[in-house]
Amino acid sequence: MEGDIIEIGAFKGGGTVKLAKFAKKYGKKVYVIDIFEPSLDQTISKSGVTAFEVYQAYLGGRSMLEVYQEATRAFDNIITIKEDSMNVRFGQQTRFIFGFIDGCHQQAYIENDFNIIWPNLVSGGVLGCHDYQFDDWPEVTPAVDRLIDEHKSEIAEAHQIVGSYGISSILLIKK
Ligand SMILES: C[S@@+](CC[C@H](N)C(=O)[O-])C[C@H]1O[C@@H](n2cnc3c(N)ncnc32)[C@H](O)[C@@H]1O
C-alpha cells in the first residue's frame, strides 16, 4: 500500500524504533507527534495520579526529548513533530497506511488524534488506539466507541488486542 506510518505519543521512543525498523524495510517514513514536555499532560488517572507523574517516574530525572532522540538517532526515516497534537493537521497528499494513537488520554484528544489520522488513512490501512480499555484512562473507551459509531460505514473490521497488564488496544481497518 502507498503511504507512511504515524505515531501520536512517542514518549521515550520505544514504539517509534519498532515502527521505524519496520517502515525502513519498505522505504516508508514514520511521522511522530509528541509535545515532549511531561508537565503539559496533567490528565488525572482513576487512581488520582497524573500522566505527568507517571512520565516523571519512568524518566528518572532525564529529559523526555533527549531520551527519545537518543533512542531514535540511528533512523533517518523518522519525522519528529514536537507539537501539541491539537495544532497538527496534514494535507491530503500525506497518506498513512498505519496510525497509532497513544498521546493524551482525554476524550478531546482521542477525538482530535483520530481526526489527524483517519481522513488520511488509505483504504485497507489500520488505525490503532492504545489503552482502549484500561482502568487508569477511562475516557478512552467512550471516546473511541463514539468515533467507531460515527464512522461505522467506513470501518471494515475492528479487533481488540489484550496486551500486558490487561491493557487492550483496538485496531480499526478502513474500508
Ligand atoms: C503513553 S505515552 C506514549 C508511549 C509510547 N507510545 C511508547 O511506545 O512508549 C504518551 C505520550 O503522549 C504525549 N502527549 C501528551 N499530551 C500530548 C499532546 N497534547 N500532544 C502531543 N503529545 C502529547 C506525552 O508527551 C507522552 O510522550
Side-chain angles (χ1 to χ4, degrees), residues 30-99:
V30 179
Y31 289 85
V32 173
I33 303 169
D34 200 299
I35 203 159
F36 291 111
E37 180 41 73
S39 65
L40 294 179
D41 189 352
Q42 295 290 345
T43 311
I44 302 174
S45 74
K46 222 172 175 177
S47 54
V49 177
T50 63
F52 171 43
E53 288 165 329
V54 176
Y55 302 149
Q56 270 190 315
Y58 280 102
L59 286 166
R62 297 194 63 197
S63 142
M64 188 195 288
L65 185 59
E66 273 173 31
V67 174
Y68 166 84
Q69 284 170 334
E70 202 175 294
T72 57
R73 75 170 159 224
F75 294 90
D76 60 4
N77 62 332
I78 299 173
I79 297 169
T80 304
I81 302 167
K82 184 181 178 304
E83 189 60 79
D84 185 323
S85 66
M86 282 285 178
N87 302 329
V88 181
R89 282 296 179 274
F90 293 90
Q92 272 304 306
Q93 73 286 355
T94 308
R95 310 304 292 164
F96 300 123
I97 56 162
F98 178 69

Side-chain angles (χ1 to χ4, degrees), residues 1 96-101 114 117-129 144 147-149 151-161 169-175:
M1 289 189 287
F96 300 123
I97 56 162
F98 178 69
F100 197 63
I101 300 177
F114 179 95
I117 299 170
W118 192 257
N120 294 39
L121 194 68
V122 299
S123 170
V126 178
L127 181 149
C129 187
V144 172
L147 288 161
I148 290 176
D149 191 51
H151 293 270
K152 55 177 178 280
S153 64
E154 301 155 27
I155 297 170
E157 291 170 42
H159 297 276
Q160 199 171 328
I161 297 170
S169 296
I170 192 158
L171 297 177
L172 306 175
I173 305 178
K174 197 172 186 182
K175 274 186 187 166

